[in-house]
Amino acid sequence: MAKQHLLTCIGAGSAKFWQVSQDGAELSIRFGRLGSTGQAQVKEFDTAEAATAAMRKLVAEKLRKGYTEGTVTAVPAPAVGQPTATAAARPAPVPDQETRAQAMPSAELPDATTHDTQEPAHLQPAPAGPGRADNSSNAVAPAEALPEVLVDPPWSRPRRTRDPVVVDGLVCSDEPSVTWRPGERAAWQATPSKYVSWANDPQTNWTSVAEHVAGVRSDGYVFEHHEISLFTAGPQEAAEPVIEHWRTDHVWDAADWMPAVLARFQLAALPMALDAARHGPAQVVPWLLPFASPKLAAQMAEWLARLKSLRPTVLAWLSRHPEAAARALIPPALGRPGPARERAEQALRVLASGSHEAVLTAAAGYGPDAAAAIAELVSSDPLDALPATMPVLPGWAAPDELAPIRLRDEPRVLPDEAVRHVLTMLAISQPGDVYAGVELVKVACDGPSLAGFAWSLFECWRAAGYPAEERWVLHSLGLLGDDTTVRALTPLIRVWPGENGHARAVHGLDVLAAIGSDVALMHLHGIAEKVKFSGLKQRAKQKLDEVAEQRGLTSQQLADRLVPDFGLADDGSLSLDYGNRRFVVGFDEQLRPYVAGADGRRRKDLPKPGAADDPHLAPAAYQRFTALKKDVRVVAADSIRRLEQAMVSRRRWKAEDFNRLLVGHPLLWHIVRRLVWGRYDDTGALIGGLRVAEDRSLADIDDDMVHLPGEAVVRVVHPVELGDSLPAWAQLFADYELVQPFRQLAREVSSLGADERVSSTLDRFAGLKVPTGRLLGLERRGWRRDLPENQGYQNAIEHRLPGGRTVVIDLNPGIPIGAITHEPDQVLERVWLRGNRDDDGLHGSAATFGVLHPVTASEILSDLDGLVS
């Protein structure tokens, strides 16, 4: 006979049932109002044991909500005409336990996967209880205890209408403008592109190409790639006079050429970019962020209203140009009723939510009538800002199936009707345009319970197959989620692109940015640094750039500030109390945590709480160590990689930031003290090396104390800069038994020969044959393959260098896309240096290797030596 449970909940205006029965590895669930047949669901599991464990947890969750269990001998059949759950209507199959363990909070896992990790209470079901009578902590809150918006929301009442105020004759006279972030234009100019190499074709008549673009010549035929190459890296004297005439619908690979063209010609190229955006908004609009004009503002307002996929990009543009956007949008927002006015009004409301004063100031510039009308538009009761058509909530988002929401500082939970109002608020909210009632809910309700509620809603959406029309569920995690949400969601974001879910993954990045905690930004940075899907990686970097700009930082400076201290003591340790036992957490050179007990012996893991340990302190300490291991694992590899890259790229820190963000950081100092640092003068020359001692003071090679003045500049020293002092530093670190987090003092160094310094090629490597697999290993060192050309072959691999130069290795026969093993070996036909405009005035031409810094030259030569050795 099938295992089954029948639970009921009666009281506070609610009378409902929830019923589950098990048949092998399948659970059949029915729920609804008493007296109705309710809704049916079927959940499939890998094994009968997993289904049993899941049923126990579901029942415990219902009992925690106040349901009471009765005796049932048979599962009532659906009424005549009541549909049963079919295969098409069933939720998505439950993933295997390993996948679920990586992607979901432990509260959602079968018992077999929860024995060694514990999640915070708001994502765990409470132990089973006897029912509402003995479970007063789940009492339903009365109406008088709730915010008014949860009792009598605006959408339940007739709407107030107002006559639109029209102010004729308003015109925005702003000229187009461009605003670059620090280093942004240089990065765009240095974009690697196949069009750069084509621009060096000596057989191309660039004057003829330019004449065709200008329309003064119609004979012959000009290929699209010739036009793009002209404006990407062709002769300035041919391209500059005709850029304003150029139009193209070749936008499928806009990321390969659009940034270089816009950075090169700036405002002169804006008409081309605006026209190209009509043909491929998704490909072009992200490259319009530095620009502003009245025409672009109107177009951004249209994209905001029409294309959900572009909403994050438009919001980033509004945030970047609030004053210009406001001045451009006010005239259409006060124009005659119609689509243009509606789009402008919507964009202004969104803009005012973050830049209210900028909107009012811009309106004042159009006179008192405009100022009054715009003030009314953006200052009306935000709770009345509702969509024209209110959404219908999906059937699977039933309050019965969601975690309860508790009021703040008291045990009572929201009634079902109030929960439906919360769902409605979430459904009408969009990124950057959140319904005002959500903030009232967050003030009135318990934060962890809101996070648990949002995650349970997300799980229902996931089980329904991620329907796109309910994507607001994903965004609700950004509104109500916390760090536990971040840890559960990030593994899913990383795998979604491989499951045809790239768009969903990109929206997941928005969720991480919206949560905005140090842990959330840490995971966002981890995706930007290391994920196998290049499109997702690029979008994560763009999202981090937006966050950095909002904080007035560069992306590197933001990354320094994203490393949490994890509650560690000033000396970088953490004490964990089991009651009768105490442990101290430390970290090794790879930031791997270890624990030491009273005997001082190091352990890799914290022992599980035992019967003799404090029943409250020990589980909490164990849970904290488990979460610490997970979070530090994300930070460790990235932090070590960033410091190694800082050495290679010669990144500098001011003394104040060095002491505060690195030496003073309780986690990072474990690796900072294992490196040799250096003080540099204004020309970039090394003044002297230094290290961080155990007491966080600074010492030189003779162990004499070093004082850094406030204006000092500090870098991670590259061994090529240490010269004759390198052996002494290596001996000092050996004496102190300091194991380095990466190869610094033991790093191989190389230098260019006299002939190579005046040459544009490295002839010692020409003609050598190497395995294709070994060549692809260079991608872990920052190299990247060129875009495929004829027959899908990638004919070069290259490394971008500081200053816009690029080392290029020409390959023969090349690497076929999707069939790497088809060409097991590659001949290095030529290793050469592509210069920047500072070298010869033409981006893409060859430059001599002597222009490279010795550190850069050493790293490139080491890569190549390792390739052919």
Side-chain angles (χ1 to χ4, degrees):
M1 184 174 179
K3 302 176 184 177
Q4 38 196 304
H5 294 270
L6 175 62
L7 291 84
T8 59
C9 180
I10 303 174
S14 175
K16 50 197 176 184
F17 73 93
W18 184 87
Q19 178 178 298
V20 59
S21 63
Q22 180 184 355
D23 185 5
E26 186 175 271
L27 297 182
S28 297
I29 300 171
R30 198 139 50 85
F31 58 92
R33 298 289 178 184
L34 283 173
S36 70
T37 54
Q39 302 181 52
Q41 290 182 347
V42 175
K43 296 185 178 182
E44 299 173 346
F45 295 82
D46 293 336
T47 64
E49 291 76 12
T52 300
M55 182 168 65
R56 287 201 303 268
K57 292 183 179 295
L58 290 171
V59 171
E61 174 70 14
K62 290 300 174 185
L63 292 172
R64 181 163 70 92
K65 290 184 176 182
Y67 282 74
T68 54
E69 185 165 13
T71 302
V72 59
T73 57
V75 179
V80 176
Q82 174 70 19
T84 59
T86 64
R90 290 176 181 175
V94 176
D96 59 73
Q97 291 187 7
E98 180 179 356
T99 302
R100 288 168 62 86
Q102 295 173 353
M104 300 171 65
S106 62
E108 301 293 330
L109 300 176
D111 288 344
T113 66
T114 61
H115 65 275
D116 60 355
T117 60
Q118 297 182 23
E119 292 289 348
H122 64 278
L123 289 184
Q124 293 185 10
R132 183 181 297 275
D134 295 320
N135 196 6
S136 59
S137 63
N138 287 314
V140 176
E144 55 268 21
L146 306 179
E148 183 180 355
V149 72
L150 291 180
V151 179
D152 183 26
W155 55 86
S156 66
R157 306 187 300 266
R159 298 198 190 186
R160 297 191 300 256
T161 60
R162 65 179 181 88
D163 294 331
V165 177
V166 176
V167 182
D168 291 321
L170 300 184
V171 177
C172 179
S173 58
D174 285 4
E175 293 294 328
S177 62
V178 58
T179 305
W180 297 102
R181 294 170 176 161
E184 185 178 38
R185 188 185 179 198
W188 286 25
Q189 286 176 318
T191 301
S193 170
K194 61 179 178 287
Y195 297 103
V196 171
S197 58
W198 288 342
N200 295 319
D201 185 356
Q203 299 180 356
T204 302
N205 184 335
W206 295 114
T207 301
S208 175
V209 174
E211 290 174 348
H212 274 276
V213 170
V216 300
R217 184 170 182 172
S218 58
D219 59 309
Y221 181 78
V222 174
F223 290 99
E224 282 184 332
H225 76 267
H226 281 141
E227 292 185 2
I228 297 175
S229 297
L230 169 65
F231 297 110
T232 303
Q236 187 79 9
E237 64 274 12
E240 188 170 22
V242 299
I243 179 64
E244 294 185 354
H245 301 284
W246 185 42
R247 299 293 183 271
T248 180
D249 59 2
H250 184 98
V251 297
W252 64 271
D253 62 347
D256 190 39
W257 59 268
M258 183 68 76
V261 173
L262 289 174
R264 183 181 184 187
F265 295 103
Q266 302 195 86
L267 291 174
L270 181 57
M272 174 277 301
L274 278 171
D275 182 76
R278 295 188 302 107
H279 303 286
Q283 291 77 22
V284 177
V285 175
W287 306 111
L288 296 175
L289 288 178
F291 298 88
S293 74
K295 183 176 181 180
L296 179 55
Q299 189 63 67
M300 287 288 182
E302 179 184 341
W303 288 324
L304 179 68
R306 186 169 58 88
L307 299 177
K308 290 183 179 180
S309 61
L310 286 181
R311 186 178 184 85
T313 304
V314 176
L315 295 179
W317 183 85
L318 291 171
S319 175
R320 189 161 175 168
H321 309 279
E323 294 83 5
R327 289 192 298 270
L329 292 170
I330 286 171
L334 298 178
R336 299 294 174 181
R341 175 174 177 134
E342 292 173 2
R343 293 193 293 262
E345 286 181 333
Q346 178 190 5
L348 279 175
R349 287 193 187 97
V350 172
L351 179 59
S353 65
S355 303
H356 193 265
E357 287 302 319
V359 174
L360 296 182
T361 301
Y366 287 101
D369 291 343
I374 294 299
E376 182 182 357
L377 173 68
V378 301
S379 302
S380 56
D381 187 349
L383 293 178
D384 290 331
L386 301 173
T389 302
M390 294 298 292
V392 177
L393 297 177
W396 43 260
D400 302 50
E401 295 302 303
L402 304 175
I405 301 176
R406 300 183 184 279
L407 291 177
R408 188 179 297 273
D409 300 327
E410 62 172 286
R412 293 178 293 184
V413 302
L414 298 188
D416 285 357
E417 192 62 26
V419 172
R420 292 189 186 90
H421 294 329
V422 173
L423 290 170
T424 299
M425 294 181 200
L426 297 174
I428 63 177
S429 296
Q430 300 184 61
D433 187 15
V434 180
Y435 181 66
V438 173
E439 187 61 32
L440 299 179
V441 171
K442 292 170 69 173
V443 170
C445 299
D446 173 67
S449 76
L450 284 172
F453 167 80
W455 186 261
S456 66
L457 177 64
F458 169 80
E459 283 297 338
C460 290
W461 182 60
R462 185 183 183 193
Y466 303 117
E469 59 272 19
E470 270 87 39
R471 188 172 285 152
W472 57 267
V473 172
L474 178 58
H475 291 297
S476 71
L477 294 178
L479 299 177
L480 306 180
D482 57 12
D483 289 346
T484 303
T485 309
V486 171
R487 298 184 186 105
L489 181 64
T490 300
L492 294 174
I493 295 175
R494 287 180 172 273
V495 301
W496 275 339
E499 302 170 351
N500 295 321
H502 173 78
R504 191 187 318 129
V506 169
H507 286 285
L509 300 179
D510 295 333
V511 170
L512 298 182
I515 292 176
S517 66
D518 288 346
V519 171
L521 296 180
M522 174 188 73
H523 281 269
L524 181 60
H525 184 263
I527 295 173
E529 290 297 315
K530 189 174 182 181
V531 71
K532 65 180 180 179
F533 303 105
S534 59
L536 182 64
K537 185 175 182 179
Q538 182 62 34
R539 290 301 294 269
K541 288 181 177 179
Q542 292 176 356
K543 185 61 63 176
L544 278 176
D545 286 343
E546 294 170 12
V547 175
E549 184 182 28
Q550 292 169 0
R551 301 188 180 189
L553 303 169
T554 67
S555 58
Q556 290 178 330
Q557 290 171 335
L558 176 65
D560 288 340
R561 290 157 173 81
L562 292 186
V563 183
D565 62 17
F566 299 113
L568 302 179
D570 291 342
D571 64 356
S573 67
L574 176 67
S575 296
L576 298 174
D577 189 359
Y578 269 31
N580 293 328
R581 296 185 289 170
R582 286 176 174 79
F583 302 91
V584 177
V585 179
F587 300 87
D588 65 12
E589 72 279 357
Q590 295 293 317
L591 293 184
R592 290 182 292 248
Y594 62 84
V595 295
D599 56 2
R601 183 170 61 89
R602 287 191 179 186
R603 307 167 182 257
K604 181 179 179 181
D605 289 308
L606 191 67
K608 294 181 180 179
D613 295 316
D614 187 285
H616 302 292
L617 294 177
Y622 186 83
Q623 177 181 312
R624 185 174 185 188
F625 182 72
T626 300
L628 178 69
K629 286 198 300 182
K630 292 179 181 178
D631 288 339
V632 171
R633 190 181 304 124
V634 175
V635 170
D638 175 65
S639 297
I640 294 171
R641 183 171 56 249
R642 284 196 304 112
L643 288 177
E644 183 175 16
Q645 182 58 35
M647 178 187 71
V648 172
S649 63
R650 311 190 308 281
R651 183 194 168 188
R652 301 177 297 175
W653 283 266
K654 294 180 180 179
E656 179 185 359
D657 287 342
F658 172 67
N659 286 318
R660 180 169 57 89
L661 300 174
L662 299 178
V663 178
H665 195 285
L667 178 66
L668 292 183
W669 100 279
H670 288 286
I671 53 177
V672 169
R673 70 184 185 88
R674 298 174 184 272
L675 296 171
V676 180
W677 297 79
R679 179 185 171 191
Y680 293 78
D681 62 20
D682 293 340
T683 68
L686 178 65
I687 297 174
L690 55 91
R691 70 179 184 89
V692 181
E694 287 282 348
D695 61 358
R696 281 187 166 85
S697 64
L698 305 179
D700 62 15
I701 195 170
D702 297 317
D703 262 349
D704 293 330
M705 185 174 293
V706 175
H707 172 70
L708 286 180
E711 70 277 5
V713 172
V714 180
R715 286 205 323 239
V716 184
V717 173
H718 192 281
V720 78
E721 300 174 290
L722 290 174
D724 295 338
S725 67
L726 177 59
W729 276 110
Q731 185 61 49
L732 181 67
F733 270 55
D735 292 343
Y736 280 106
E737 298 182 347
L738 292 173
V739 181
Q740 296 200 289
F742 58 83
R743 289 172 63 88
Q744 182 192 27
L745 296 175
R747 203 178 195 86
E748 295 182 1
V749 297
S750 304
S751 59
L752 296 164
D755 293 341
E756 291 173 329
R757 284 195 291 270
V758 296
S759 174
S760 62
T761 61
L762 296 177
D763 295 334
R764 61 169 123 163
F765 301 104
L768 298 178
K769 180 184 289 188
V770 300
T772 300
R774 186 186 300 171
L775 184 74
L776 295 180
L778 289 178
E779 293 184 328
R780 293 191 297 271
R781 302 273 299 165
W783 294 71
R784 53 163 278 177
R785 283 173 275 173
D786 195 6
L787 294 174
E789 297 186 19
N790 293 336
Q791 299 179 344
Y793 273 65
Q794 296 169 306
N795 296 321
I797 188 169
E798 57 191 34
H799 195 308
R800 291 180 58 184
L801 305 176
R805 301 180 179 93
T806 306
V807 177
V808 184
I809 306 175
D810 291 332
L811 306 174
N812 186 19
I815 304 172
I817 289 291
I820 294 174
T821 57
H822 184 68
E823 301 289 354
D825 297 304
Q826 299 290 328
V827 174
L828 312 185
E829 287 204 328
R830 183 172 67 138
V831 180
W832 61 287
L833 181 64
R834 179 190 299 148
N836 60 20
R837 290 189 175 87
D838 294 334
D839 296 321
D840 58 9
L842 182 61
H843 180 50
S845 298
T848 59
F849 277 90
V851 301
L852 299 184
H853 190 280
V855 170
T856 303
S858 178
E859 290 295 311
I860 292 298
L861 290 172
S862 295
D863 286 350
L864 295 172
D865 286 336
L867 182 64
V868 302
S869 62

